[in-house]
Amino acid sequence: MLRVLSGVAVAASLLFTPLAALTPDVLRPVRAVPPHVAGRFRDVRAFQQAPAGHHYVFDRRAHRVFAVDEQFESAWQIVQIGAEPGRIIGPTAFSTAPDGRFAVADGPEGRPRIQMFNPAGFREAGFTLPDRSRARVASDDMVLSGIASIQFTGSSILISQ
């Protein structure tokens, strides 16, 4: 019975409250990336902070990895599009290690590949997987074949296929 009475009391108080008193709360972003920086990206799939303070932005549609400074004032490209080693094409997954290095899974010519990069975006290592027989299908957040997600610890790579 108390519940109904309190519900009725709340409803009654709303009916008799002046409209000026019912102003909505406005949420303001805190440490948000401003539009002039965020507008550079096409399909952000990861936004991870490096130990040095800057942030990595994994832009899957642009086939690139960007860095954004600590104050979110500027962004610069650190890994470019391409099928050759040290570049990425058709990326599906991204992970940052605790030491600032990062790994990207991509698929040049349909062959799954993982590359590890230093914090400046220079390739340190990489390998391909013998999984060329199946068609690689990725749509939005879903990967049906290929590397769906990775976790890079700095010394190990965990792969979800």
Coordinates of all heavy atoms in Angstrom, one line a residue, residues 51 95-103 114-119 124-125 127 150-158:
P51 N 50.8 4.5 -22.3 CA 51.4 5.0 -21.1 C 52.1 6.4 -21.1 O 52.1 7.0 -20.1 CB 52.5 3.9 -20.8 CG 52.1 2.7 -21.7 CD 51.4 3.3 -22.8
S95 N 44.9 -3.9 -30.5 CA 45.2 -4.0 -29.1 C 46.5 -3.3 -28.7 O 47.4 -3.3 -29.5 CB 45.3 -5.5 -28.7 OG 45.5 -5.6 -27.3
T96 N 46.4 -2.6 -27.5 CA 47.6 -1.9 -27.0 C 48.2 -2.7 -25.9 O 47.5 -3.1 -25.0 CB 47.2 -0.5 -26.6 OG1 46.6 0.2 -27.6 CG2 48.4 0.3 -26.1
A97 N 49.5 -2.8 -25.9 CA 50.2 -3.5 -24.8 C 50.5 -2.4 -23.7 O 50.5 -1.2 -23.9 CB 51.6 -4.1 -25.3
P98 N 50.8 -2.9 -22.4 CA 51.0 -2.0 -21.3 C 52.2 -1.1 -21.5 O 52.3 0.0 -21.0 CB 51.2 -2.9 -20.1 CG 50.6 -4.2 -20.5 CD 50.7 -4.3 -22.0
D99 N 53.2 -1.5 -22.4 CA 54.4 -0.6 -22.6 C 54.2 0.4 -23.8 O 55.1 1.1 -24.1 CB 55.6 -1.5 -22.9 CG 55.4 -2.4 -24.1 OD1 54.4 -2.3 -24.9 OD2 56.4 -3.2 -24.4
G100 N 53.0 0.4 -24.4 CA 52.8 1.4 -25.4 C 52.9 0.9 -26.8 O 52.4 1.5 -27.8
R101 N 53.4 -0.3 -27.0 CA 53.4 -1.0 -28.3 C 52.0 -1.4 -28.6 O 51.1 -1.6 -27.7 CB 54.4 -2.2 -28.4 CG 55.8 -1.7 -28.2 CD 56.8 -2.8 -28.2 NE 56.5 -3.8 -27.1 CZ 56.6 -5.1 -27.2 NH1 57.0 -5.7 -28.3 NH2 56.4 -5.8 -26.2
F102 N 51.7 -1.7 -29.9 CA 50.3 -2.1 -30.2 C 50.4 -3.1 -31.4 O 51.4 -3.3 -32.1 CB 49.4 -0.9 -30.6 CG 49.9 -0.1 -31.7 CD1 49.5 -0.3 -33.0 CD2 50.7 1.0 -31.5 CE1 49.9 0.5 -34.1 CE2 51.2 1.8 -32.5 CZ 50.8 1.5 -33.8
A103 N 49.3 -3.9 -31.5 CA 49.2 -4.9 -32.5 C 47.9 -4.7 -33.4 O 46.9 -4.2 -32.8 CB 49.1 -6.3 -31.9
I114 N 49.0 -10.6 -38.4 CA 49.1 -9.7 -37.2 C 50.5 -9.1 -37.3 O 51.5 -9.7 -37.5 CB 49.0 -10.6 -36.0 CG1 47.6 -11.2 -35.9 CG2 49.2 -9.7 -34.7 CD1 47.3 -12.0 -34.7
Q115 N 50.5 -7.7 -37.0 CA 51.7 -7.0 -37.0 C 51.8 -6.2 -35.6 O 50.8 -5.8 -35.1 CB 51.8 -6.0 -38.1 CG 51.7 -6.6 -39.5 CD 51.9 -5.5 -40.5 OE1 53.0 -5.1 -40.9 NE2 50.7 -5.0 -41.0
M116 N 53.0 -6.2 -35.1 CA 53.3 -5.4 -33.9 C 54.1 -4.2 -34.2 O 55.0 -4.2 -35.0 CB 54.0 -6.3 -32.8 CG 53.2 -7.3 -32.2 SD 52.7 -8.7 -33.2 CE 54.2 -9.5 -33.6
F117 N 53.7 -3.1 -33.6 CA 54.3 -1.8 -33.9 C 54.8 -1.1 -32.6 O 54.3 -1.4 -31.5 CB 53.3 -0.8 -34.5 CG 52.7 -1.3 -35.8 CD1 51.6 -2.1 -35.9 CD2 53.3 -0.8 -37.0 CE1 51.1 -2.5 -37.1 CE2 52.8 -1.2 -38.2 CZ 51.7 -2.1 -38.3
N118 N 55.9 -0.3 -32.7 CA 56.3 0.4 -31.5 C 55.4 1.7 -31.4 O 54.6 1.9 -32.2 CB 57.8 0.8 -31.6 CG 58.1 1.8 -32.7 OD1 57.2 2.5 -33.2 ND2 59.4 2.0 -33.0
P119 N 55.6 2.4 -30.3 CA 54.7 3.5 -30.0 C 54.7 4.6 -31.1 O 53.7 5.3 -31.3 CB 55.1 4.1 -28.7 CG 55.7 3.0 -28.0 CD 56.4 2.1 -29.1
E124 N 57.6 -3.7 -35.7 CA 58.7 -4.5 -35.0 C 58.7 -5.9 -35.4 O 59.7 -6.6 -35.4 CB 58.5 -4.3 -33.5 CG 58.7 -3.0 -33.0 CD 58.6 -2.9 -31.5 OE1 58.0 -3.8 -30.8 OE2 59.3 -2.0 -30.9
A125 N 57.5 -6.5 -35.6 CA 57.4 -7.9 -35.9 C 56.0 -8.2 -36.6 O 55.1 -7.3 -36.5 CB 57.5 -8.8 -34.7
F127 N 53.4 -11.7 -38.4 CA 53.3 -13.0 -39.0 C 52.0 -13.2 -39.6 O 51.0 -12.4 -39.4 CB 53.5 -14.1 -37.9 CG 52.6 -14.0 -36.8 CD1 51.4 -14.7 -36.8 CD2 52.8 -13.2 -35.6 CE1 50.5 -14.6 -35.7 CE2 52.0 -13.1 -34.6 CZ 50.8 -13.9 -34.6
I150 N 41.9 -9.4 -30.8 CA 43.2 -9.8 -30.3 C 43.4 -9.0 -29.0 O 42.8 -8.0 -28.7 CB 44.3 -9.4 -31.3 CG1 44.4 -7.9 -31.6 CG2 44.3 -10.2 -32.5 CD1 45.6 -7.5 -32.4
Q151 N 44.3 -9.6 -28.2 CA 44.8 -9.0 -26.9 C 46.3 -9.1 -27.0 O 46.8 -10.2 -27.0 CB 44.2 -9.7 -25.7 CG 44.6 -9.1 -24.4 CD 44.1 -7.7 -24.2 OE1 42.9 -7.4 -24.5 NE2 45.0 -6.8 -23.8
F152 N 47.0 -8.0 -27.0 CA 48.4 -7.9 -27.0 C 49.0 -7.6 -25.7 O 48.7 -6.5 -25.1 CB 48.9 -6.9 -28.1 CG 50.4 -6.8 -28.3 CD1 51.2 -7.9 -28.3 CD2 50.9 -5.6 -28.5 CE1 52.5 -7.8 -28.5 CE2 52.3 -5.4 -28.7 CZ 53.1 -6.5 -28.7
T153 N 49.7 -8.5 -25.0 CA 50.2 -8.2 -23.7 C 51.6 -7.6 -23.7 O 52.1 -7.2 -22.7 CB 50.3 -9.6 -22.9 OG1 51.3 -10.4 -23.5 CG2 48.9 -10.2 -22.8
G154 N 52.3 -7.6 -24.8 CA 53.6 -7.1 -24.9 C 54.6 -8.3 -25.2 O 55.6 -8.1 -25.9
S155 N 54.2 -9.5 -24.7 CA 55.0 -10.6 -24.9 C 54.2 -11.8 -25.6 O 54.7 -12.7 -26.1 CB 55.7 -11.1 -23.6 OG 54.6 -11.5 -22.7
S156 N 52.9 -11.7 -25.5 CA 52.0 -12.7 -26.1 C 50.9 -12.0 -26.8 O 50.5 -10.9 -26.5 CB 51.4 -13.6 -25.0 OG 52.4 -14.2 -24.2
I157 N 50.3 -12.8 -27.8 CA 49.1 -12.3 -28.5 C 48.1 -13.4 -28.4 O 48.3 -14.5 -28.7 CB 49.5 -12.0 -30.0 CG1 50.5 -10.9 -30.1 CG2 48.2 -11.7 -30.7 CD1 50.9 -10.7 -31.5
L158 N 46.9 -13.0 -27.9 CA 45.7 -13.9 -27.8 C 44.8 -13.5 -28.9 O 44.5 -12.4 -29.2 CB 45.1 -13.7 -26.4 CG 46.0 -13.8 -25.2 CD1 45.3 -13.4 -24.0 CD2 46.5 -15.2 -25.1

